[in-house]
């Protein structure tokens, strides 16, 4: 089955040239899986004329309204730019105060514009994973949504979630939803094998290093 590998570049790299070169390396990857590249909004131009069947364009966030909302990007703007996927509810945005209600509006707006939401869910250190997921997964309002299970304590920290724990959470989600479920949290080319029961992975830091990213795509 085709796996999905999402590259979340976050606020990187710091120039268009570097973003274009990184994308150029990714485009050369030979794979039957699907790669979704989510660059910064200002680097969307890397996608012009370069998308193929294996690589899809993604965004890191979306706003649910249009008009007097300084700094925001709407779903119709993304759609107009041929963006297909959008990450919603990333823990780094939740940490800035984003609520599940706002996430719900973003998801509805994305779906209304035929974008595929990638909803990030996951517990912080010492939080009860089932309790957190029960509440965050209320936003699974469509089978089209991709669920990204990302334990917050494993994001950008180099701390790995054991495959045993990740698989338990996977089963917990699978019992409730038929959606695709991917894993994220310090994934690199070696540990990616631990999450092979998932439908793919969401990769942050390691997606900025083309060699490591290629290894992830090969080993996923
Ligand atoms: C992420 O950005 O969601 C992520 C998983 O980052 P990292 O791979 O760096 O932990």
């Amino acid at each position: 089955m085709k796996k999905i590998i999402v590259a979340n570049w976050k606020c990187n790299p710091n120039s268009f040239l570097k973003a274009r070169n990184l994308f150029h390396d990714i485009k050369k990857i030979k794979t039957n899986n699907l790669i979704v590249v989510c660059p910064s909004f200002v680097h969307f131009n890397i996608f012009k004329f370069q998308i193929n069947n294996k690589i899809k364009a993604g965004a890191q966030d979306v706003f649910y309204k249009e008009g007097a909302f300084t700094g925001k990007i709407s779903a119709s703007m993304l759609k107009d730019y041929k963006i297909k996927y959008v990450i919603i509810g990333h823990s780094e945005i939740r940490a800035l105060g984003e609520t599940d209600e706002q996430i719900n509006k973003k998801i509805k707006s994305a779906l209304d514009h035929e974008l595929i939401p990638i909803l990030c869910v996951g517990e912080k250190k010492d939080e009860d994973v089932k309790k957190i997921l029960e509440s965050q997964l209320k936003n699974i309002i469509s089978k089209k949504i991709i669920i990204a299970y990302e334990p917050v304590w494993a994001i950008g920290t180099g701390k790995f979630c054991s495959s045993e724990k990740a698989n338990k959470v996977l089963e917990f989600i699978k019992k409730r939803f038929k959606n695709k479920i991917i894993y994220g949290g310090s994934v690199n080319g070696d540990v990616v094998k631990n999450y092979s029961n998932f439908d793919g992975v969401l990769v942050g830091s390691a997606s900025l290093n083309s060699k490591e990213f290629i290894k992830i795509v090969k080993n996923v």
Side-chain angles (χ1 to χ4, degrees), residues 126-170:
D126 300 328
E127 275 181 342
D128 182 307
V129 56
K130 288 189 182 164
K131 210 164 135 196
I132 294 294
L133 292 193
E134 293 279 13
S135 114
Q136 293 179 341
L137 289 171
K138 288 197 181 116
N139 272 324
I140 299 300
I141 52 171
S142 158
K143 284 200 184 96
K144 289 186 188 141
I145 300 170
I146 297 173
I147 302 171
Y149 169 55
E150 300 206 294
V152 179
W153 51 267
I155 298 179
T157 56
K159 288 189 182 140
F160 305 117
C161 180
S162 66
S163 53
E164 194 189 359
K165 178 179 172 188
N167 283 332
K168 268 193 194 154
V169 176
L170 177 64

mmCIF file of all heavy atoms in Angstrom, residues 126-170:
data_model
loop_
_atom_site.group_PDB
_atom_site.id
_atom_site.type_symbol
_atom_site.label_atom_id
_atom_site.label_comp_id
_atom_site.label_asym_id
_atom_site.label_seq_id
_atom_site.Cartn_x
_atom_site.Cartn_y
_atom_site.Cartn_z
ATOM 1 N N ASP A 126 3.718 13.581 30.284
ATOM 2 C CA ASP A 126 2.911 13.361 31.487
ATOM 3 C C ASP A 126 1.399 13.500 31.283
ATOM 4 O O ASP A 126 0.642 13.422 32.254
ATOM 5 C CB ASP A 126 3.337 14.284 32.657
ATOM 6 C CG ASP A 126 4.787 14.049 33.045
ATOM 7 O OD1 ASP A 126 5.249 12.905 32.906
ATOM 8 O OD2 ASP A 126 5.450 15.012 33.467
ATOM 9 N N GLU A 127 0.959 13.769 30.075
ATOM 10 C CA GLU A 127 -0.486 13.822 29.844
ATOM 11 C C GLU A 127 -1.007 12.426 29.508
ATOM 12 O O GLU A 127 -0.265 11.606 28.948
ATOM 13 C CB GLU A 127 -0.825 14.772 28.683
ATOM 14 C CG GLU A 127 -0.933 16.220 29.098
ATOM 15 C CD GLU A 127 -1.305 17.149 27.944
ATOM 16 O OE1 GLU A 127 -1.159 16.767 26.762
ATOM 17 O OE2 GLU A 127 -1.719 18.273 28.235
ATOM 18 N N ASP A 128 -2.278 12.198 29.787
ATOM 19 C CA ASP A 128 -2.899 10.907 29.494
ATOM 20 C C ASP A 128 -3.263 10.870 28.000
ATOM 21 O O ASP A 128 -4.133 11.616 27.544
ATOM 22 C CB ASP A 128 -4.156 10.766 30.362
ATOM 23 C CG ASP A 128 -4.833 9.425 30.155
ATOM 24 O OD1 ASP A 128 -5.122 9.054 28.999
ATOM 25 O OD2 ASP A 128 -5.066 8.751 31.160
ATOM 26 N N VAL A 129 -2.570 9.996 27.260
ATOM 27 C CA VAL A 129 -2.716 10.019 25.796
ATOM 28 C C VAL A 129 -4.160 9.767 25.365
ATOM 29 O O VAL A 129 -4.681 10.483 24.498
ATOM 30 C CB VAL A 129 -1.694 9.061 25.109
ATOM 31 C CG1 VAL A 129 -1.805 7.653 25.607
ATOM 32 C CG2 VAL A 129 -1.858 9.068 23.604
ATOM 33 N N LYS A 130 -4.839 8.803 25.991
ATOM 34 C CA LYS A 130 -6.203 8.474 25.556
ATOM 35 C C LYS A 130 -7.153 9.643 25.788
ATOM 36 O O LYS A 130 -7.975 9.964 24.940
ATOM 37 C CB LYS A 130 -6.720 7.223 26.275
ATOM 38 C CG LYS A 130 -6.030 5.976 25.763
ATOM 39 C CD LYS A 130 -6.645 4.722 26.290
ATOM 40 C CE LYS A 130 -5.867 3.534 25.756
ATOM 41 N NZ LYS A 130 -6.131 2.316 26.474
ATOM 42 N N LYS A 131 -6.986 10.293 26.959
ATOM 43 C CA LYS A 131 -7.851 11.421 27.301
ATOM 44 C C LYS A 131 -7.659 12.561 26.290
ATOM 45 O O LYS A 131 -8.616 13.151 25.788
ATOM 46 C CB LYS A 131 -7.490 11.905 28.707
ATOM 47 C CG LYS A 131 -8.644 12.497 29.453
ATOM 48 C CD LYS A 131 -8.315 12.592 30.917
ATOM 49 C CE LYS A 131 -8.734 13.944 31.444
ATOM 50 N NZ LYS A 131 -8.140 14.275 32.712
ATOM 51 N N ILE A 132 -6.407 12.850 25.984
ATOM 52 C CA ILE A 132 -6.108 13.937 25.040
ATOM 53 C C ILE A 132 -6.668 13.601 23.655
ATOM 54 O O ILE A 132 -7.300 14.426 23.000
ATOM 55 C CB ILE A 132 -4.572 14.164 24.955
ATOM 56 C CG1 ILE A 132 -4.037 14.689 26.288
ATOM 57 C CG2 ILE A 132 -4.183 15.091 23.807
ATOM 58 C CD1 ILE A 132 -4.529 16.067 26.680
ATOM 59 N N LEU A 133 -6.430 12.363 23.218
ATOM 60 C CA LEU A 133 -6.896 11.986 21.882
ATOM 61 C C LEU A 133 -8.424 11.995 21.799
ATOM 62 O O LEU A 133 -8.983 12.427 20.800
ATOM 63 C CB LEU A 133 -6.350 10.615 21.475
ATOM 64 C CG LEU A 133 -4.833 10.542 21.234
ATOM 65 C CD1 LEU A 133 -4.471 9.244 20.540
ATOM 66 C CD2 LEU A 133 -4.323 11.700 20.403
ATOM 67 N N GLU A 134 -9.097 11.508 22.860
ATOM 68 C CA GLU A 134 -10.573 11.507 22.842
ATOM 69 C C GLU A 134 -11.069 12.912 22.510
ATOM 70 O O GLU A 134 -12.000 13.085 21.738
ATOM 71 C CB GLU A 134 -11.168 11.129 24.219
ATOM 72 C CG GLU A 134 -10.923 9.718 24.685
ATOM 73 C CD GLU A 134 -11.879 8.701 24.082
ATOM 74 O OE1 GLU A 134 -12.575 9.029 23.126
ATOM 75 O OE2 GLU A 134 -11.887 7.559 24.586
ATOM 76 N N SER A 135 -10.415 13.922 23.109
ATOM 77 C CA SER A 135 -10.923 15.274 22.874
ATOM 78 C C SER A 135 -10.426 15.832 21.523
ATOM 79 O O SER A 135 -11.211 16.387 20.764
ATOM 80 C CB SER A 135 -10.585 16.152 24.075
ATOM 81 O OG SER A 135 -9.685 17.150 23.752
ATOM 82 N N GLN A 136 -9.152 15.611 21.171
ATOM 83 C CA GLN A 136 -8.650 16.177 19.910
ATOM 84 C C GLN A 136 -9.269 15.494 18.682
ATOM 85 O O GLN A 136 -9.450 16.119 17.642
ATOM 86 C CB GLN A 136 -7.120 16.062 19.855
ATOM 87 C CG GLN A 136 -6.445 16.955 20.893
ATOM 88 C CD GLN A 136 -4.929 16.834 20.856
ATOM 89 O OE1 GLN A 136 -4.386 15.875 20.329
ATOM 90 N NE2 GLN A 136 -4.261 17.825 21.424
ATOM 91 N N LEU A 137 -9.614 14.210 18.829
ATOM 92 C CA LEU A 137 -10.143 13.480 17.672
ATOM 93 C C LEU A 137 -11.619 13.797 17.398
ATOM 94 O O LEU A 137 -12.173 13.334 16.408
ATOM 95 C CB LEU A 137 -9.956 11.965 17.866
ATOM 96 C CG LEU A 137 -8.490 11.490 17.774
ATOM 97 C CD1 LEU A 137 -8.366 10.040 18.198
ATOM 98 C CD2 LEU A 137 -7.927 11.680 16.376
ATOM 99 N N LYS A 138 -12.222 14.634 18.270
ATOM 100 C CA LYS A 138 -13.606 15.068 17.967
ATOM 101 C C LYS A 138 -13.614 15.832 16.647
ATOM 102 O O LYS A 138 -14.652 16.007 16.014
ATOM 103 C CB LYS A 138 -14.135 15.953 19.093
ATOM 104 C CG LYS A 138 -14.439 15.152 20.343
ATOM 105 C CD LYS A 138 -15.346 15.920 21.301
ATOM 106 C CE LYS A 138 -15.583 15.082 22.538
ATOM 107 N NZ LYS A 138 -15.050 15.688 23.741
ATOM 108 N N ASN A 139 -12.462 16.326 16.253
ATOM 109 C CA ASN A 139 -12.372 17.076 14.994
ATOM 110 C C ASN A 139 -12.258 16.185 13.765
ATOM 111 O O ASN A 139 -12.091 16.693 12.645
ATOM 112 C CB ASN A 139 -11.210 18.072 15.056
ATOM 113 C CG ASN A 139 -11.667 19.389 15.649
ATOM 114 O OD1 ASN A 139 -12.801 19.805 15.409
ATOM 115 N ND2 ASN A 139 -10.823 20.038 16.427
ATOM 116 N N ILE A 140 -12.347 14.882 13.951
ATOM 117 C CA ILE A 140 -12.361 13.993 12.770
ATOM 118 C C ILE A 140 -13.795 13.938 12.269
ATOM 119 O O ILE A 140 -14.599 13.113 12.714
ATOM 120 C CB ILE A 140 -11.823 12.578 13.129
ATOM 121 C CG1 ILE A 140 -10.384 12.674 13.625
ATOM 122 C CG2 ILE A 140 -11.871 11.646 11.917
ATOM 123 C CD1 ILE A 140 -9.419 13.269 12.629
ATOM 124 N N ILE A 141 -14.097 14.853 11.360
ATOM 125 C CA ILE A 141 -15.483 14.973 10.869
ATOM 126 C C ILE A 141 -15.615 14.417 9.449
ATOM 127 O O ILE A 141 -16.671 14.497 8.846
ATOM 128 C CB ILE A 141 -15.942 16.451 10.915
ATOM 129 C CG1 ILE A 141 -14.924 17.343 10.189
ATOM 130 C CG2 ILE A 141 -16.145 16.916 12.348
ATOM 131 C CD1 ILE A 141 -15.377 18.767 10.000
ATOM 132 N N SER A 142 -14.529 13.880 8.917
ATOM 133 C CA SER A 142 -14.594 13.317 7.563
ATOM 134 C C SER A 142 -13.513 12.247 7.422
ATOM 135 O O SER A 142 -12.443 12.342 8.046
ATOM 136 C CB SER A 142 -14.354 14.430 6.540
ATOM 137 O OG SER A 142 -13.914 13.895 5.318
ATOM 138 N N LYS A 143 -13.818 11.259 6.574
ATOM 139 C CA LYS A 143 -12.840 10.181 6.325
ATOM 140 C C LYS A 143 -11.659 10.684 5.513
ATOM 141 O O LYS A 143 -10.642 10.013 5.394
ATOM 142 C CB LYS A 143 -13.516 9.042 5.576
ATOM 143 C CG LYS A 143 -14.391 8.210 6.466
ATOM 144 C CD LYS A 143 -14.650 6.846 5.831
ATOM 145 C CE LYS A 143 -15.601 6.029 6.658
ATOM 146 N NZ LYS A 143 -16.994 6.072 6.256
ATOM 147 N N LYS A 144 -11.824 11.884 4.921
ATOM 148 C CA LYS A 144 -10.743 12.421 4.077
ATOM 149 C C LYS A 144 -9.568 12.935 4.919
ATOM 150 O O LYS A 144 -8.464 13.091 4.419
ATOM 151 C CB LYS A 144 -11.284 13.580 3.238
ATOM 152 C CG LYS A 144 -12.225 13.129 2.156
ATOM 153 C CD LYS A 144 -12.619 14.292 1.262
ATOM 154 C CE LYS A 144 -13.705 13.823 0.325
ATOM 155 N NZ LYS A 144 -14.729 14.843 0.115
ATOM 156 N N ILE A 145 -9.844 13.218 6.181
ATOM 157 C CA ILE A 145 -8.796 13.811 7.029
ATOM 158 C C ILE A 145 -7.718 12.769 7.338
ATOM 159 O O ILE A 145 -8.024 11.626 7.690
ATOM 160 C CB ILE A 145 -9.413 14.325 8.357
ATOM 161 C CG1 ILE A 145 -10.470 15.399 8.062
ATOM 162 C CG2 ILE A 145 -8.334 14.857 9.296
ATOM 163 C CD1 ILE A 145 -11.307 15.792 9.278
ATOM 164 N N ILE A 146 -6.465 13.165 7.181
ATOM 165 C CA ILE A 146 -5.358 12.288 7.584
ATOM 166 C C ILE A 146 -5.035 12.626 9.042
ATOM 167 O O ILE A 146 -4.872 13.800 9.387
ATOM 168 C CB ILE A 146 -4.123 12.517 6.694
ATOM 169 C CG1 ILE A 146 -4.454 12.155 5.235
ATOM 170 C CG2 ILE A 146 -2.917 11.720 7.194
ATOM 171 C CD1 ILE A 146 -3.359 12.504 4.246
ATOM 172 N N ILE A 147 -4.969 11.585 9.870
ATOM 173 C CA ILE A 147 -4.649 11.814 11.287
ATOM 174 C C ILE A 147 -3.139 11.631 11.468
ATOM 175 O O ILE A 147 -2.597 10.590 11.083
ATOM 176 C CB ILE A 147 -5.406 10.813 12.189
ATOM 177 C CG1 ILE A 147 -6.915 10.935 11.964
ATOM 178 C CG2 ILE A 147 -5.042 11.025 13.659
ATOM 179 C CD1 ILE A 147 -7.741 9.828 12.642
ATOM 180 N N ALA A 148 -2.481 12.648 12.032
ATOM 181 C CA ALA A 148 -1.050 12.510 12.330
ATOM 182 C C ALA A 148 -0.899 12.393 13.846
ATOM 183 O O ALA A 148 -1.131 13.379 14.569
ATOM 184 C CB ALA A 148 -0.275 13.709 11.803
ATOM 185 N N TYR A 149 -0.547 11.188 14.309
ATOM 186 C CA TYR A 149 -0.306 11.039 15.749
ATOM 187 C C TYR A 149 1.122 11.503 16.030
ATOM 188 O O TYR A 149 2.094 10.904 15.543
ATOM 189 C CB TYR A 149 -0.500 9.589 16.218
ATOM 190 C CG TYR A 149 0.003 9.416 17.640
ATOM 191 C CD1 TYR A 149 -0.480 10.242 18.659
ATOM 192 C CD2 TYR A 149 0.985 8.472 17.961
ATOM 193 C CE1 TYR A 149 0.000 10.132 19.955
ATOM 194 C CE2 TYR A 149 1.467 8.353 19.265
ATOM 195 C CZ TYR A 149 0.969 9.189 20.256
ATOM 196 O OH TYR A 149 1.454 9.096 21.528
ATOM 197 N N GLU A 150 1.221 12.601 16.771
ATOM 198 C CA GLU A 150 2.530 13.176 17.087
ATOM 199 C C GLU A 150 2.625 13.442 18.588
ATOM 200 O O GLU A 150 2.116 14.472 19.063
ATOM 201 C CB GLU A 150 2.698 14.509 16.352
ATOM 202 C CG GLU A 150 2.610 14.433 14.857
ATOM 203 C CD GLU A 150 3.390 15.565 14.215
ATOM 204 O OE1 GLU A 150 3.012 16.730 14.377
ATOM 205 O OE2 GLU A 150 4.414 15.278 13.580
ATOM 206 N N PRO A 151 3.253 12.532 19.344
ATOM 207 C CA PRO A 151 3.436 12.841 20.768
ATOM 208 C C PRO A 151 4.272 14.122 20.874
ATOM 209 O O PRO A 151 5.369 14.192 20.309
ATOM 210 C CB PRO A 151 4.207 11.634 21.306
ATOM 211 C CG PRO A 151 4.503 10.738 20.159
ATOM 212 C CD PRO A 151 3.905 11.302 18.915
ATOM 213 N N VAL A 152 3.728 15.129 21.539
ATOM 214 C CA VAL A 152 4.376 16.455 21.524
ATOM 215 C C VAL A 152 5.802 16.384 22.068
ATOM 216 O O VAL A 152 6.710 17.049 21.563
ATOM 217 C CB VAL A 152 3.503 17.464 22.314
ATOM 218 C CG1 VAL A 152 4.151 18.842 22.355
ATOM 219 C CG2 VAL A 152 2.112 17.563 21.689
ATOM 220 N N TRP A 153 6.013 15.514 23.065
ATOM 221 C CA TRP A 153 7.335 15.394 23.690
ATOM 222 C C TRP A 153 8.368 14.799 22.727
ATOM 223 O O TRP A 153 9.573 14.844 22.986
ATOM 224 C CB TRP A 153 7.241 14.548 24.971
ATOM 225 C CG TRP A 153 6.538 13.235 24.774
ATOM 226 C CD1 TRP A 153 5.206 12.995 24.961
ATOM 227 C CD2 TRP A 153 7.102 12.010 24.310
ATOM 228 N NE1 TRP A 153 4.908 11.699 24.653
ATOM 229 C CE2 TRP A 153 6.053 11.063 24.252
ATOM 230 C CE3 TRP A 153 8.392 11.613 23.947
ATOM 231 C CZ2 TRP A 153 6.259 9.748 23.824
ATOM 232 C CZ3 TRP A 153 8.596 10.305 23.539
ATOM 233 C CH2 TRP A 153 7.538 9.393 23.479
ATOM 234 N N ALA A 154 7.913 14.239 21.607
ATOM 235 C CA ALA A 154 8.851 13.622 20.651
ATOM 236 C C ALA A 154 9.138 14.549 19.465
ATOM 237 O O ALA A 154 9.964 14.230 18.615
ATOM 238 C CB ALA A 154 8.283 12.294 20.156
ATOM 239 N N ILE A 155 8.448 15.701 19.406
ATOM 240 C CA ILE A 155 8.615 16.575 18.238
ATOM 241 C C ILE A 155 9.838 17.474 18.416
ATOM 242 O O ILE A 155 9.936 18.238 19.374
ATOM 243 C CB ILE A 155 7.357 17.450 18.010
ATOM 244 C CG1 ILE A 155 6.148 16.546 17.725
ATOM 245 C CG2 ILE A 155 7.566 18.431 16.859
ATOM 246 C CD1 ILE A 155 4.853 17.292 17.509
ATOM 247 N N GLY A 156 10.785 17.331 17.494
ATOM 248 C CA GLY A 156 11.966 18.189 17.476
ATOM 249 C C GLY A 156 12.897 17.963 18.654
ATOM 250 O O GLY A 156 13.767 18.794 18.938
ATOM 251 N N THR A 157 12.724 16.865 19.369
ATOM 252 C CA THR A 157 13.514 16.647 20.585
ATOM 253 C C THR A 157 14.554 15.535 20.423
ATOM 254 O O THR A 157 15.433 15.389 21.254
ATOM 255 C CB THR A 157 12.599 16.224 21.760
ATOM 256 O OG1 THR A 157 11.869 15.046 21.340
ATOM 257 C CG2 THR A 157 11.625 17.314 22.137
ATOM 258 N N GLY A 158 14.399 14.725 19.371
ATOM 259 C CA GLY A 158 15.277 13.562 19.219
ATOM 260 C C GLY A 158 14.855 12.421 20.140
ATOM 261 O O GLY A 158 15.520 11.401 20.240
ATOM 262 N N LYS A 159 13.713 12.587 20.835
ATOM 263 C CA LYS A 159 13.202 11.508 21.701
ATOM 264 C C LYS A 159 12.260 10.650 20.871
ATOM 265 O O LYS A 159 11.384 11.182 20.186
ATOM 266 C CB LYS A 159 12.447 12.081 22.891
ATOM 267 C CG LYS A 159 13.358 12.730 23.887
ATOM 268 C CD LYS A 159 12.607 13.085 25.152
ATOM 269 C CE LYS A 159 13.570 13.775 26.097
ATOM 270 N NZ LYS A 159 12.959 14.892 26.796
ATOM 271 N N PHE A 160 12.455 9.340 20.926
ATOM 272 C CA PHE A 160 11.651 8.453 20.090
ATOM 273 C C PHE A 160 10.558 7.776 20.897
ATOM 274 O O PHE A 160 10.799 7.305 22.005
ATOM 275 C CB PHE A 160 12.535 7.375 19.451
ATOM 276 C CG PHE A 160 13.687 7.953 18.690
ATOM 277 C CD1 PHE A 160 14.999 7.711 19.075
ATOM 278 C CD2 PHE A 160 13.454 8.768 17.588
ATOM 279 C CE1 PHE A 160 16.053 8.270 18.381
ATOM 280 C CE2 PHE A 160 14.501 9.329 16.880
ATOM 281 C CZ PHE A 160 15.805 9.075 17.287
ATOM 282 N N CYS A 161 9.389 7.685 20.297
ATOM 283 C CA CYS A 161 8.296 6.920 20.901
ATOM 284 C C CYS A 161 8.554 5.460 20.539
ATOM 285 O O CYS A 161 8.837 5.164 19.372
ATOM 286 C CB CYS A 161 6.985 7.413 20.300
ATOM 287 S SG CYS A 161 5.532 6.598 20.927
ATOM 288 N N SER A 162 8.473 4.546 21.495
ATOM 289 C CA SER A 162 8.734 3.138 21.181
ATOM 290 C C SER A 162 7.674 2.645 20.202
ATOM 291 O O SER A 162 6.537 3.145 20.204
ATOM 292 C CB SER A 162 8.675 2.294 22.455
ATOM 293 O OG SER A 162 7.358 2.298 22.957
ATOM 294 N N SER A 163 8.040 1.642 19.383
ATOM 295 C CA SER A 163 7.052 1.158 18.415
ATOM 296 C C SER A 163 5.885 0.517 19.171
ATOM 297 O O SER A 163 4.744 0.579 18.738
ATOM 298 C CB SER A 163 7.677 0.176 17.425
ATOM 299 O OG SER A 163 8.321 -0.842 18.103
ATOM 300 N N GLU A 164 6.171 -0.055 20.356
ATOM 301 C CA GLU A 164 5.110 -0.682 21.145
ATOM 302 C C GLU A 164 4.040 0.353 21.530
ATOM 303 O O GLU A 164 2.848 0.153 21.316
ATOM 304 C CB GLU A 164 5.750 -1.276 22.402
ATOM 305 C CG GLU A 164 4.854 -2.219 23.124
ATOM 306 C CD GLU A 164 5.438 -2.603 24.482
ATOM 307 O OE1 GLU A 164 6.545 -2.134 24.838
ATOM 308 O OE2 GLU A 164 4.749 -3.331 25.189
ATOM 309 N N LYS A 165 4.514 1.505 22.048
ATOM 310 C CA LYS A 165 3.552 2.535 22.448
ATOM 311 C C LYS A 165 2.835 3.113 21.219
ATOM 312 O O LYS A 165 1.609 3.291 21.217
ATOM 313 C CB LYS A 165 4.248 3.659 23.222
ATOM 314 C CG LYS A 165 3.229 4.701 23.575
ATOM 315 C CD LYS A 165 3.666 5.880 24.340
ATOM 316 C CE LYS A 165 2.460 6.846 24.351
ATOM 317 N NZ LYS A 165 2.765 8.126 24.895
ATOM 318 N N ALA A 166 3.628 3.409 20.162
ATOM 319 C CA ALA A 166 3.025 3.996 18.959
ATOM 320 C C ALA A 166 1.948 3.059 18.398
ATOM 321 O O ALA A 166 0.870 3.503 18.009
ATOM 322 C CB ALA A 166 4.103 4.273 17.922
ATOM 323 N N ASN A 167 2.238 1.749 18.405
ATOM 324 C CA ASN A 167 1.266 0.791 17.862
ATOM 325 C C ASN A 167 0.002 0.705 18.718
ATOM 326 O O ASN A 167 -1.091 0.515 18.206
ATOM 327 C CB ASN A 167 1.889 -0.598 17.730
ATOM 328 C CG ASN A 167 2.801 -0.658 16.521
ATOM 329 O OD1 ASN A 167 2.595 0.075 15.552
ATOM 330 N ND2 ASN A 167 3.820 -1.504 16.569
ATOM 331 N N LYS A 168 0.173 0.864 20.034
ATOM 332 C CA LYS A 168 -1.004 0.848 20.931
ATOM 333 C C LYS A 168 -1.918 2.028 20.597
ATOM 334 O O LYS A 168 -3.141 1.894 20.518
ATOM 335 C CB LYS A 168 -0.554 0.983 22.386
ATOM 336 C CG LYS A 168 -0.346 -0.343 23.060
ATOM 337 C CD LYS A 168 -0.212 -0.150 24.557
ATOM 338 C CE LYS A 168 0.327 -1.436 25.158
ATOM 339 N NZ LYS A 168 1.034 -1.226 26.388
ATOM 340 N N VAL A 169 -1.286 3.195 20.420
ATOM 341 C CA VAL A 169 -2.073 4.385 20.085
ATOM 342 C C VAL A 169 -2.725 4.206 18.714
ATOM 343 O O VAL A 169 -3.896 4.554 18.513
ATOM 344 C CB VAL A 169 -1.184 5.663 20.124
ATOM 345 C CG1 VAL A 169 -1.980 6.884 19.692
ATOM 346 C CG2 VAL A 169 -0.606 5.864 21.515
ATOM 347 N N LEU A 170 -1.969 3.618 17.790
ATOM 348 C CA LEU A 170 -2.507 3.369 16.446
ATOM 349 C C LEU A 170 -3.778 2.514 16.541
ATOM 350 O O LEU A 170 -4.806 2.833 15.929
ATOM 351 C CB LEU A 170 -1.437 2.663 15.595
ATOM 352 C CG LEU A 170 -1.836 2.264 14.183
ATOM 353 C CD1 LEU A 170 -2.134 3.500 13.335
ATOM 354 C CD2 LEU A 170 -0.706 1.462 13.513
#
